[in-house]
Amino acid sequence: MMVPIPVPHPTHPTQPRSVAVIGAGVTGLATTAALLERGVPVACFDRGAPLGERSAGESRIFRYAHRDPVLVEAAVQARALFSEWAEGLIEPVGTVISGGGAQEWTTAMAASGVEYIENPGLRLPTSRRQEPAVLDPAGGVIRVDRVGELLVKRSQAALRSAYVYALEEKPDGVVVHAGGVSERFDAVVLAAGSGNAPLAAQVGLYPPADLAHHARFTFRLRETAPPSPQCWITTSSAEMHTYQHSGAPGQWAVGVELGPEDTRWEVGREAAVAAAEAATVTYVKNELDLVDPEIVSSLYCTTNPTLDDGIHYRRQGRVLCVYGENLFKFAPLIGRECADAVLNESVPDSLGPAT
Ligand SMILES: Cc1cc2nc3c(=O)[nH]c(=O)nc-3n(C[C@H](O)[C@H](O)[C@H](O)COP(=O)(O)OP(=O)(O)OC[C@H]3O[C@@H](n4cnc5c(N)ncnc54)[C@H](O)[C@@H]3O)c2cc1C
């Protein structure tokens, strides 16, 4: 395979000669693509297939709507960057926030000056009234399949299939020990999702390390469901806290947020998935009369229960670590910020609740 010859970036005379990105999820791939675009030689390591862990599946929710104005503004920037990547990566159906928590989200959107519509016309797979509800018209379905195809294509020359088992700081760089080979790099971006904490600790970085279980389930929309349903987040404590959106045509993905008794790591994956399945099917039966409650498919992942929406960066020497929850919607922004931080030897501002 032809590997493109990197073109030095004229504004960064001291740019690193080599960068390792650990993780080929959406954040690692976005970073790799941004570095390649800036002419920096990169190796992007992953222990499995690209987009195989937290970035797996075919769809996610995009939204400007957040509880924190700085995250609203980050989402606005990310939306523009998604469009620069390519058209059609986000299906602009809108995102509805309903329930008692909706007010908090509109306050943050108002502070950021982005449009929202109170008591909007709803296209949701339920005939129940939803009050209060607000529409984020810029929201929609992120097509993970299209984003993945684009990023893998752009990063192809850099991808390495190998398990990184150690990072070792040396005076002249960081040695990445992966798959029986040890290689020195000028800089490392740690974008390894659930694999961040053990590698980060080896170089004196301690991002939050808690893990919990989460599972999302997909169902069929009934023929009576409205076409092009909006993405939907329910925030009230009276109902279950959920997120929902269409995936493949005619399908509806539902994620229910359960408490620690059902999701903490010690519960075990099998029991946690069983609890999530029972709660989600009950929710669908009780609340979504336009959805067939038979499960079509499921998606499991780990989450960090101590984190909420937010983008977080930490640096120790030559290693920059990125982490957070619900990062997909920010991916192009994260890629750009990580690439610039590598070139400038800086740390981007973290956004969202402190960790
Ligand atoms: C069901 C579900 C629903 C979600 N909904 C939304 C949503 O609606 N909107 C939104 O914005 N976000 C959502 N998210 C969150 C979002 O998808 C994740 O935050 C994002 O994909 C994380 O990307 P990442 O690159 O940081 O991590 P990952 O995708 O987990 O990538 C990390 C990569 O690092 C690799 N790795 C780890 N350790 C090592 C090692 N030692 N050596 C080599 N490779 C290693 C892994 O194999 C993995 O591929 C959802 C996530 C899930 C699972």
Side-chain angles (χ1 to χ4, degrees), residues 246-309:
S246 64
Q251 296 192 353
W252 190 246
V254 184
V256 167
E257 308 292 350
L258 296 178
E261 62 285 1
D262 291 314
T263 56
R264 66 194 166 85
W265 193 247
E266 295 71 21
V267 168
R269 175 170 172 167
E270 202 178 323
V273 171
E277 177 174 331
T280 310
V281 169
T282 302
Y283 173 82
V284 171
K285 282 182 179 163
N286 291 342
E287 303 292 334
L288 306 182
D289 52 333
L290 307 182
V291 175
D292 179 345
E294 192 179 325
I295 292 171
V296 174
S297 63
S298 65
L299 180 60
Y300 167 86
C301 70
T302 59
T303 61
N304 186 321
T306 66
L307 300 177
D308 198 348
D309 273 327

Side-chain angles (χ1 to χ4, degrees), residues 22-28 45-56 60-62 142 162-165 191-196 199 214 216 243 245 299-301 324-330:
I22 318 297
V26 74
T27 59
F45 295 87
D46 204 290
R47 60 187 173 191
L51 300 152
E53 295 196 6
R54 290 175 174 170
S55 305
R60 295 286 187 277
I61 297 176
F62 181 83
I142 306 174
Y163 177 76
V164 177
Y165 58 91
S194 65
N196 267 343
L199 290 173
H214 177 70
R216 180 184 93 182
Y243 63 89
H245 54 93
L299 180 60
Y300 167 86
C301 70
E325 286 293 295
N326 292 325
L327 295 181
F328 213 108
K329 55 187 148 61
F330 298 123

Side-chain angles (χ1 to χ4, degrees), residues 68-341:
D68 181 341
V70 295
L71 293 173
V72 178
E73 283 149 32
V76 171
Q77 289 183 56
R79 182 68 186 85
L81 294 170
F82 269 114
S83 293
E84 276 180 29
W85 274 358
E87 288 308 320
L89 299 180
I90 297 177
E91 288 173 357
V93 292
T95 297
V96 171
I97 316 295
S98 72
Q103 177 66 44
E104 205 184 341
W105 301 57
T106 52
T107 304
M109 291 170 82
S112 303
V114 306
E115 185 192 1
Y116 59 89
I117 300 165
E118 286 178 297
N119 303 317
L122 296 177
R123 295 188 316 277
L124 299 173
T126 178
S127 50
R128 282 173 169 248
R129 283 176 71 85
Q130 302 298 324
E131 285 176 327
V134 59
L135 174 67
D136 168 5
V141 180
I142 306 174
R143 291 293 305 266
V144 171
D145 48 352
R146 293 182 191 158
V147 173
E149 193 184 344
L150 176 137
L151 287 180
V152 167
K153 202 167 161 190
R154 291 191 183 178
S155 307
Q156 193 72 53
L159 293 180
R160 306 250 193 110
S161 178
Y163 177 76
V164 177
Y165 58 91
L167 298 179
E168 190 184 357
E169 282 211 273
K170 299 272 193 190
D172 62 342
V174 182
V175 177
V176 173
H177 299 277
V181 177
S182 300
E183 203 174 335
R184 193 201 66 81
F185 292 88
D186 292 328
V188 170
V189 178
L190 198 43
S194 65
N196 267 343
L199 290 173
Q202 296 170 16
V203 292
L205 276 172
Y206 300 94
D210 284 10
L211 289 178
H213 305 278
H214 177 70
R216 180 184 93 182
F217 298 90
T218 298
F219 304 85
R220 271 191 200 84
L221 288 165
R222 296 193 198 278
E223 282 179 5
T224 45
S228 304
Q230 293 137 335
C231 300
W232 185 16
I233 294 174
T234 63
T235 62
S236 160
S237 53
E239 308 152 11
M240 301 203 83
H241 187 119
T242 69
Y243 63 89
Q244 312 173 39
H245 54 93
S246 64
Q251 296 192 353
W252 190 246
V254 184
V256 167
E257 308 292 350
L258 296 178
E261 62 285 1
D262 291 314
T263 56
R264 66 194 166 85
W265 193 247
E266 295 71 21
V267 168
R269 175 170 172 167
E270 202 178 323
V273 171
E277 177 174 331
T280 310
V281 169
T282 302
Y283 173 82
V284 171
K285 282 182 179 163
N286 291 342
E287 303 292 334
L288 306 182
D289 52 333
L290 307 182
V291 175
D292 179 345
E294 192 179 325
I295 292 171
V296 174
S297 63
S298 65
L299 180 60
Y300 167 86
C301 70
T302 59
T303 61
N304 186 321
T306 66
L307 300 177
D308 198 348
D309 273 327
I311 313 171
H312 304 281
Y313 300 99
R314 290 192 192 181
R315 178 187 272 281
Q316 174 66 46
R318 297 167 185 266
V319 180
L320 176 72
C321 179
V322 55
Y323 62 93
E325 286 293 295
N326 292 325
L327 295 181
F328 213 108
K329 55 187 148 61
F330 298 123
L333 180 65
I334 292 171
R336 188 180 73 176
E337 293 200 324
C338 284
D340 287 345

